[in-house]
Amino acid sequence: MSEAAFRALYERLSADTRLVSGPPGGSLRHLTPERVRAAAAEVRSGRTLSLAAPIETHRGPDSPEPADHRMTGPAAGDLDAPGLHFARDRLAMNVHQDADSHLDALCHVIVDGELFGGVSAHTLTPDGAGALSVDLVRNGIVGRGVLLDVPRLRGVPWLEPGDHVTREDLTAAEEAQGVRVGPGDLLFVRVGHRLRRLELGAWNVAEARAGLHPTAVRFLADREVAVLGGDGNNDTAPSAVDGIGFPVHVLAIHALGIYLLDYLQFEELAPACESAGRWSFLCAIAPLRLPGATGSPVNPIAVL
């Protein structure tokens, strides 16, 4: 895809967003209280499943900066000592690395000196994001989740790095699974990234990974999706656009104001949906309360 064609697509997608009045809340305007209430009706069995992968604490090809998790207590002498003592630990991490499940805030993507909604990039300071931070979703995101399983559609265990999910793939997966994505939905697209990593080992995903083709973002806009989550980065590598990295991030976050969730895991959810014959469910996403943050580690919970 040429840079000119990409920029034309960006302008088409962002045109309607610029007409929305009020504060720049992005695509969550589609997730109305009425749709949240309706999503509760998706619960059948009451089974809960995590859509997050374990936090990576070991250095690897896709985790050059792994999380630092260490015990700070109890002291060795406390283990057999009488009286009260506490186990304590500390966690430090790079929120946006390529192994851990995380949510991207609307301030995450800068294009031509601006954030989503024309907000100046100068609102980003060493002290944090002064606008569009993850604090906008401090009350969580709850709605109807829909899983579209593209490897299932194609009859393969996973998509190979560099492969693209097209708009046609998404509509074909809907038909094959008997589900339709609608306004306010939390759309999850499986490419099989986690299964491939489990069976073949980690690799340098910065250079090669499966994801959505930029033109597939038109599907998100047409269906008024509130959230997009993937078991990879959502973007393909190498980039499908000449001279522009992460085109799906640019289109989804910067043009449409869609919250992205990267590097989730669907290897428990997909067979559960297959067994139940249903690919929609109630989903709750609860980012950490990190004022001024550009994202957050996250553990979405599907309730079937």
Side-chain angles (χ1 to χ4, degrees):
M1 188 177 193
S2 70
E3 182 175 350
F6 173 80
R7 290 193 177 274
L9 176 58
Y10 172 91
E11 289 300 326
R12 288 198 300 273
L13 292 175
S14 61
D16 291 341
T17 304
R18 287 194 294 265
L19 297 176
V20 176
S21 60
S27 61
L28 291 188
R29 68 185 184 277
H30 302 309
L31 187 52
T32 62
E34 292 76 19
R35 287 171 179 154
V36 174
R37 288 198 298 270
E42 294 289 332
V43 178
R44 302 287 194 277
S45 68
R47 181 183 180 186
T48 60
L49 291 171
S50 168
L51 307 188
I55 291 177
E56 187 61 64
T57 57
H58 296 91
R59 190 179 306 277
D62 58 353
S63 57
E65 299 178 83
D68 179 20
H69 178 227
R70 62 183 66 187
M71 297 296 291
T72 59
D78 296 336
L79 295 177
D80 298 312
L84 176 65
H85 306 279
F86 292 99
R88 303 181 305 277
D89 48 1
R90 177 182 184 275
L91 176 68
M93 67 185 301
N94 173 1
V95 171
H96 297 285
Q97 78 148 345
D98 291 329
D100 297 327
S101 305
H102 63 271
L103 177 143
D104 292 338
L106 298 185
C107 61
H108 181 49
V109 175
I110 307 167
V111 177
D112 298 333
E114 291 184 346
L115 310 179
F116 167 69
V119 174
S120 171
H122 288 281
T123 54
L124 300 169
T125 73
D127 294 324
L132 303 180
S133 78
V134 75
D135 193 56
L136 287 181
V137 286
R138 61 186 176 273
N139 294 322
I141 303 171
V142 179
R144 177 181 183 253
V146 177
L147 176 66
L148 296 183
D149 192 336
V150 178
R152 176 183 183 273
L153 172 71
R154 297 189 187 178
V156 296
W158 56 70
L159 304 190
E160 289 295 341
D163 200 354
H164 300 285
V165 175
T166 67
R167 185 179 185 179
E168 290 73 24
D169 284 327
L170 298 178
T171 55
E174 282 185 314
E175 182 175 356
Q177 297 173 208
V179 68
R180 181 176 174 83
V181 178
D185 280 352
L186 285 52
L187 172 61
F188 300 101
V189 179
R190 179 177 178 268
V191 299
H193 178 99
R194 289 291 177 182
L195 180 60
R196 188 182 194 277
R197 187 180 191 270
L198 176 65
E199 295 199 5
L200 302 183
W203 71 96
N204 185 355
V205 300
E207 294 183 355
R209 61 179 179 268
L212 271 64
H213 192 275
T215 54
V217 180
R218 293 175 58 190
F219 178 93
L220 311 181
D222 291 345
R223 301 299 181 83
E224 297 184 342
V225 165
V227 170
L228 171 66
D231 52 348
N233 174 263
N234 290 299
D235 261 297
T236 304
S239 174
V241 180
D242 297 333
I244 296 179
F246 303 95
V248 171
H249 276 65
V250 172
L251 295 174
I253 295 177
H254 199 275
L256 295 174
I258 294 177
Y259 286 86
L260 294 192
L261 292 97
D262 297 335
Y263 297 108
L264 303 177
Q265 70 86 16
F266 305 131
E267 299 315 310
E268 295 173 277
L269 177 65
C273 288
E274 181 88 56
S275 176
R278 302 179 59 248
W279 297 87
S280 59
F281 43 88
L282 178 66
C283 187
I285 303 167
L288 299 180
R289 293 293 299 268
L290 292 170
T294 65
S296 170
V298 71
N299 181 20
I301 302 297
V303 187
L304 277 64

